[in-house]
Amino acid sequence: ISHISYALESCKMVRTFLALALMISSAGAFMSSSPRAAPRAAPRSAAITMGEKSAAVPFLPNPANCEGYVGNVGFDPLRVSEWGVPMDYLREAELKHGRVTMLAVTGFAATDCGFRFPGEKFQVASIDAHDVAVGSGLMTVGGIAILMIEALSFVAIQEMLAGSGRMAGDFGFDPFKLKGNTEKLETMQLKEITHCRLAMLAFSGMVTQAVLTEKGFPYY
């Protein structure tokens, strides 16, 4: 019995550390650059930019490299945009993290609300899914699928950085034909990046709350 209790306590500690790691990593993704508007305006002089203050963090200088990107509110307290990493790469990373977490929030909550695939191995809470997937071998299958998707996206990103003209996050998925309307496209881009940022914060909070309370949705 003592061994079982120790194992359960260890499992709780691992879950807590995992929740904290997710929260930190999502916050890091949130601070990446924001989406790019169609044509970017020419950068203003360094003297003018350095004198301006961020709209989001008034006591910090305005991040000049974020200018011209949809959703830019001047939030870059770690100055990630000045680290020498291409802005379109940062934009791609922010969109990727945001899209994944939008799906993750939906799946995490839906699972704990009872929406599950048939089969005994799927009848688990969201916070237990990782361990169950590893034990059943599904994690390996999922890892291979993710590797294939990442390989394809890597090619697209490299072409973008080489000057192909591809916009960050654009994989040709446009069922509503928004690219033909610049104003509507930028509106939807703003909505997407807003939801992406909210989802990254929300997923961190959901996982943390689920681990700490060990209760199902709404995790309190």
Side-chain angles (χ1 to χ4, degrees):
I1 296 176
S2 61
H3 289 297
I4 295 175
S5 300
Y6 177 77
L8 289 174
E9 290 299 324
S10 299
C11 185
K12 291 179 181 178
M13 291 179 62
V14 171
R15 288 177 181 174
T16 302
F17 284 125
L18 176 61
L20 292 174
L22 283 170
M23 182 171 60
I24 293 171
S25 63
S26 296
F30 175 75
M31 289 184 290
S32 299
S33 70
S34 42
R36 188 173 67 174
R40 293 192 62 183
R44 292 170 291 179
S45 68
I48 296 176
T49 304
M50 289 300 293
E52 295 181 354
K53 296 297 182 180
S54 166
V57 191
F59 55 85
L60 292 178
N62 186 53
N65 292 337
C66 293
E67 291 295 329
Y69 283 79
V70 175
N72 173 42
V73 292
F75 184 79
D76 187 16
L78 297 182
R79 317 304 293 174
V80 177
S81 60
E82 299 175 4
W83 290 2
V85 181
M87 289 295 294
D88 283 340
Y89 184 86
L90 294 176
R91 169 68 179 89
E92 186 90 25
E94 184 178 29
L95 263 182
K96 179 181 290 186
H97 282 83
R99 289 167 176 172
V100 168
T101 48
M102 282 193 287
L103 293 173
V105 165
T106 304
F108 199 91
T111 298
D112 287 337
C113 287
F115 295 93
R116 300 171 183 174
F117 289 111
E120 184 179 354
K121 60 179 172 290
F122 297 111
Q123 308 311 309
V124 295
S126 293
I127 58 175
D128 298 319
H130 174 271
D131 294 344
V132 173
V134 171
S136 66
L138 288 175
M139 184 63 71
T140 302
V141 177
I144 294 173
I146 293 173
L147 181 62
M148 294 175 63
I149 295 173
E150 286 297 302
L152 294 174
S153 66
F154 177 79
V155 175
I157 293 171
Q158 290 304 310
E159 290 180 352
M160 174 188 68
L161 297 178
S164 66
R166 169 187 177 270
M167 289 188 66
D170 183 7
F171 290 95
F173 184 74
D174 185 21
F176 298 106
K177 308 299 180 184
L178 296 175
K179 289 184 179 178
N181 187 323
T182 303
E183 182 178 352
K184 185 177 291 185
L185 176 62
E186 290 190 9
T187 299
M188 295 305 294
Q189 286 177 330
L190 178 60
K191 290 180 178 180
E192 180 184 35
I193 200 61
T194 301
H195 283 82
C196 282
R197 292 167 174 171
L198 176 61
M200 285 187 279
L201 294 173
F203 188 67
S204 300
M206 289 172 66
V207 174
T208 303
Q209 191 79 354
V211 170
L212 295 179
T213 64
E214 296 188 349
K215 295 182 180 180
F217 185 83
Y219 312 113
Y220 62 82

